[in-house]
């Protein structure tokens, strides 16, 4: 969670106020109330009610006379949200006609160069015309928008698509002229937030779609911002900034406030976005991870998908720890993060003549060439977390006039620079721990600074500890293009296996998410810290929050090119055409380990939009397939209704299996034979079935396999599939016969169908449990 952690600063402050307020409330009422989302079984509404709202109200009043509904929902669930005590919630859940009572979950927020890096710029001719693209609407659920940016210029865009039902809601610093033909909708949802925190203080944030944070402006301009020539942050990353789908329309749904994002507000936003008529939904937020029937993002995304809306979500910033994913439902496109071929290098020189390369976006007076004393923060602090340069932890007399080495982790990276500066330091080296490996994230620090990888950091610390008078300086670099290898998987990008459904591989794909330039709010400086008074129209930040809107925008391009494609088809096209090797043939690296990455890191691979336009074959999935998937998880009819709002009973004669769910990738958990340690012995055989749909020209596809492990024999039947018509379907089975391996072993393979022109690739991940 470190990547966007400058945001934690205001959150921590608000949390203190929050608990204080609750302490008072507790004394008054004895019992704390929380927000709950009530999912009503609308198809079983008692006949005595002719209006569902009366029914909702009467159910609510039966447990709590005074409770009011915060929101009523129509699409995400049939139901409402309200404030209840835990006791009232329990009572309500037991009543007839109630599917579930889900407690509020708090969520957190998890480019000039990217279009060229993704092969968009020079191959524009392949992409849909602007007229088709301008029919596509990308809804972004986030912190709102800064509408005055050039990225929202609507020059050249025709009338708003005729089916659009959205609104430009007005409020503080936001009126109807804030929207135009580019930003066609803007709404805000604060009832859940205000129920928890009390009324929004309009002195510090706008109760309107206005973005006081920057995150939502960044994500929406990444997805579909208009092209702006001459963009940069302090001269870094200069060039034309543009979203992935420059002519698509943007609708913003503000749900995240300075104190966080709440699920009752998120549900209301997704509900409205569906009603308004968006085609793509982009959610760069993550929070609770639970079974799908209690996960409001999964529930909302199901409804959206069923109505033809592709939902793209960030995978989370919990990497490189395994099983750190969020947003893992099979109908969601789950996006991890990789780097670009662009860097912002600067150079550390030590008194012993050695030089190390770091990164920074510092803009200001550079250090002189002459060497100055350098100290390690741990040794100039009385605090146990002094090595992290936490607020007030450095002793000014020991820091003044020196360069300070701070360790990465704990507090926000940009805050460390401010802590050093306030203690009188004149430069900072931000050193990675083993956890972050060699991953370098550039920030616009308040003083000359260099973020260095673990190896360089250790070498610099060695020099400092072994020399009686260590000295150093930091020289400013600039923007470097063509950095290799690229992409590499970001250390922070959340990793599989999938903690909810191990037989479903997640993440689905990776896209650029490190050091991304896109639009920014005018309300705070580029670091997001209250002390940063600089104003910038563009900012460079990192996170799976940044990779998600790349995929949202690319999905808009595919939707424009192929208006009939279902969300599952679009996702399949993106996945089966993703690449997982460099031109040299070597597998994409994981920057956290310096080793080749695996499908648990990158899913199907790195997105390749040009190839995705013509995938040849796709793994489609219908609502019935998703229902069958839930049957395979042994969900009861009640739980299925809680997830999908549909009345569906699994057919007791059918053998539903997750193995047969038509997904573009394969996750194969294998049993470890008890008592056997590795190698030979018990073998197990599992069979997976898939169905391919032809979305290209008639062709014959042949299968090929590559595998890292002799421990699993893989058999595909048939080995050839011929398609003579558009939308023709053909099935195949894959049989995995495995020997026992020690528990915890993982290995990988890759399956490809090719007609000689197109490659339809799927990753296979084995894990012995
Ligand atoms: C609101 O509308 C007026 C014009 O009617 C305009 O001048 C003003 O800048 C608008 N924007 C905001 C954010 O108030
Ligand atoms: C920090 O102080 C300890 C104890 O005096 C010393 O052993 C170590 O070398 C110092 N480290 C650095 C990097 O200066
Ligand atoms: C569902 O139940 C069946 C039969 O009891 C069992 O074999 C299977 O493993 C269960 N599936 C899951 C995903 O729990």
């Amino acid at each position: 969670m470190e990547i966007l952690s400058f945001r934690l600063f205001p959150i921590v402050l608000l949390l203190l106020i929050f608990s204080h307020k609750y302490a008072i409330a507790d004394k008054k009422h004895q019992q704390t109330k929380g927000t709950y989302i009530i999912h009503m079984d609308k198809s079983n509404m008692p006949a005595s009610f002719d209006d569902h709202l009366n029914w909702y109200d009467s159910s609510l009043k039966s447990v709590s006379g005074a409770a009011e509904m915060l929101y009523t929902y129509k699409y995400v669930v049939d139901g409402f949200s309200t404030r209840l005590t835990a006791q009232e919630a329990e009572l309500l859940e037991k009543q007839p006609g109630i599917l579930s009572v889900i407690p509020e979950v708090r969520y957190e927020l998890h480019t000039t160069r990217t279009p060229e890096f993704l092969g968009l710029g020079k191959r524009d001719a392949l992409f849909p015309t602007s007229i088709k693209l301008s029919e596509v609407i990308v809804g972004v659920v986030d912190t709102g928008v800064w509408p005055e940016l050039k990225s929202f210029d609507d020059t050249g865009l025709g009338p708003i698509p005729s089916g659009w039902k959205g609104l430009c809601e007005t409020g503080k610093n936001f009126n109807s002229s804030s929207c135009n033909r580019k930003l066609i909708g803007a709404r805000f949802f604060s009832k859940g937030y205000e129920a928890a925190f009390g009324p929004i203080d309009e002195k510090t944030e706008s109760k309107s779609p206005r973005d006081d944070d920057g995150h939502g402006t960044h994500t929406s301009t990444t997805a579909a911002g208009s092209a702006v020539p001459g963009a940069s942050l302090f001269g870094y990353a200069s060039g034309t900034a543009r979203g992935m789908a420059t002519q698509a329309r943007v609708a913003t749904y503000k749900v995240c406030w300075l104190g966080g994002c709440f699920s009752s507000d998120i549900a209301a936003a997704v509900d409205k976005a569906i009603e308004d008529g968006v085609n793509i939904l982009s959610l760069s937020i993550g929070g609770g991870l639970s079974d799908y029937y209690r996960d409001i993002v999964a529930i909302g995304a199901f409804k959206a998908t069923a109505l033809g809306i592709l939902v793209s979500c960030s995978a989370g910033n919990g990497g490189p720890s395994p099983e750190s994913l969020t947003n893992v439902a099979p109908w969601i496109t789950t996006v991890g993060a990789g780097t670009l071929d662009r860097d912002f290098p600067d150079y550390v020189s030590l008194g012993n003549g050695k030089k190390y390369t770091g990164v920074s976006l510092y803009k200001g007076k550079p250090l002189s060439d002459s060497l100055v004393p350098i100290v390690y923060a741990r040794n100039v602090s009385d605090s146990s977390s002094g090595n992290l340069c936490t607020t007030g932890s450095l002793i000014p007399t020991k820091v003044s006039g020196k360069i300070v080495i701070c360790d990465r982790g704990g507090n926000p990276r940009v805050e460390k620079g401010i802590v050093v500066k306030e203690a009188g330091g004149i430069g900072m080296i931000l050193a990675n721990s083993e956890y972050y490996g060699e991953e370098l994230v550039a920030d616009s620090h308040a003083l000359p600074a260099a973020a260095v990888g673990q190896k360089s950091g250790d070498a610099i610390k060695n020099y400092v500890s072994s020399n009686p008078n260590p000295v150093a300086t930091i020289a400013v670099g600039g923007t470097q293009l063509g950095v290799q290898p690229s992409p590499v998987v970001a250390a922070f990008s959340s990793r599989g296996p999938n903690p909810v459904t191990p037989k479903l591989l997640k993440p689905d794909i990776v896209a650029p998410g490190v050091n991304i330039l896109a639009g920014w709010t005018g309300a705070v400086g580029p670091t997001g810290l209250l002390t940063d008074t600089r104003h910038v129209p563009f900012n460079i930040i990192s996170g799976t929050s940044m990779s998600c809107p790349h995929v949202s925008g690319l999905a808009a391009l595919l939707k424009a090119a192929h208006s009939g494609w279902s969300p599952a088809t679009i996702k399949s096209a993106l996945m089966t055409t993703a690449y997982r090797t460099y031109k040299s043939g070597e597998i994409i690296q994981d920057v956290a380990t310096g080793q080749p990455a695996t499908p648990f890191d990158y899913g199907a691979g790195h997105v390749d939009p040009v190839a995705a336009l013509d995938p040849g074959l796709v793994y489609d999935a219908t609502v019935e397939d998703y229902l069958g998937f839930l049957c395979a998880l042994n969900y009861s009819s009640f739980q299925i209704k809680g997830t999908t709002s549909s009345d569906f009973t699994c057919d007791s004669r059918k053998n539903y299996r997750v193995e047969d769910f038509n997904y573009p990738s394969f996750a194969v958990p294998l049993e470890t034979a008890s008592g056997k340690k590795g190698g030979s012995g018990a073998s197990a055989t599992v069979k997976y079935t898939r169905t391919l749909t032809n979305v290209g020209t008639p062709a014959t596809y042949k299968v090929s396999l590559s595998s890292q492990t002799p421990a699993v024999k893989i058999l595909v039947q048939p080995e050839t599939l011929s398609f003579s018509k558009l939308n023709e379907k053909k099935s195949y089975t894959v049989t995995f016969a495995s020997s026992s391996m020690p528990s915890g072993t993982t290995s990988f393979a890759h399956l490809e169908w090719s007609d000689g022109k197109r490659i339809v690739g799927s990753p296979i991940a084995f894990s012995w449990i």
Side-chain angles (χ1 to χ4, degrees), residues 60-71:
L60 176 57
K61 292 284 159 18
S62 72
V63 298
S64 172
E68 302 275 340
M69 291 187 223
L70 291 172
Y71 294 103

Side-chain angles (χ1 to χ4, degrees), residues 240-489:
T240 296
R242 50 163 281 190
M244 296 300 100
T246 20
Q247 287 105 2
R249 320 285 179 145
V250 176
T252 189
Y253 296 85
K254 176 173 171 181
V255 297
C256 294
W257 304 87
L258 295 180
C261 340
F262 288 90
S263 53
S264 58
D265 293 326
I266 296 168
V270 173
D271 215 65
K272 269 289 175 232
I274 292 172
E275 179 167 290
D276 288 348
V278 304
N279 303 109
I280 311 285
L281 257 178
S282 191
L283 287 93
S284 288
I285 51 178
L289 188 74
S290 57
D291 284 317
Y292 306 122
Y293 59 89
R294 297 189 77 80
D295 174 348
I296 202 70
V297 167
I299 295 169
F302 181 90
K303 203 48 180 279
T305 306
L307 293 169
I309 302 164
L310 180 132
V311 183
S312 157
C313 293
S314 48
N317 296 344
S321 311
E323 294 190 60
S324 44
L325 295 163
T326 61
N327 301 321
V328 295
W331 44 85
I332 290 175
T333 302
T334 311
V335 188
T339 60
L340 291 174
D341 62 344
R342 178 180 65 194
D343 218 339
F344 307 100
D346 62 358
Y347 309 96
V348 180
S349 305
L350 302 182
N352 62 5
K354 294 238 164 76
K355 276 191 192 317
Y356 299 91
T357 305
V359 299
S360 174
L361 297 170
Y362 168 70
K363 174 70 176 180
K365 200 166 164 284
L367 286 179
S368 73
D369 291 343
S370 49
L371 303 169
V372 295
I374 175 169
V375 290
Y376 180 33
R378 171 170 283 153
N379 287 8
V380 291
S381 167
D382 291 329
S383 155
S384 59
S385 60
N387 65 313
L388 300 174
C389 297
T390 49
T391 305
S393 66
L394 301 178
I395 302 165
T397 52
K398 296 187 176 174
V399 166
S400 179
K402 297 178 183 164
I403 293 174
V404 180
I405 307 168
C406 304
D407 287 330
R408 184 169 163 191
N411 56 332
R413 297 183 303 272
V414 285
E415 190 182 293
K416 295 172 195 279
I418 291 183
V419 169
V420 171
K421 193 174 181 185
E422 283 177 351
I426 58 168
M428 172 174 70
I429 291 170
L430 181 57
N432 277 2
S433 58
E434 191 183 346
Y435 189 73
Y436 299 104
E438 299 304 306
E439 171 181 84
L440 300 181
V441 181
D443 299 290
S444 36
H445 289 289
L447 79 179
V452 297
Q454 188 208 351
K455 285 184 203 142
S456 302
D458 287 353
I460 296 168
K461 283 178 207 164
N462 259 335
Y463 161 74
V464 170
S465 67
S466 61
N467 199 295
N469 294 304
V471 286
T473 191
I474 302 169
V476 183
T479 304
Q480 185 190 352
L481 299 178
V483 176
Q484 295 307 336
S486 70
V488 296
V489 177

Side-chain angles (χ1 to χ4, degrees), residues 128 132 135-136 279 308 555-567 570:
K132 273 193 174 166
E135 289 297 309
V136 180
N279 303 109
L557 286 176
L558 293 185
K559 180 81 191 164
H562 304 283
S563 58
W565 280 11
S566 68
I570 294 175

Side-chain angles (χ1 to χ4, degrees), residues 500-503 629-635 655-656 658-659:
V500 180
T501 313
K503 282 180 191 163
F629 170 84
L630 297 175
C631 292
L633 297 184
N634 294 336
Y635 272 33
N655 181 21
Y656 297 98
V658 178
E659 291 86 338

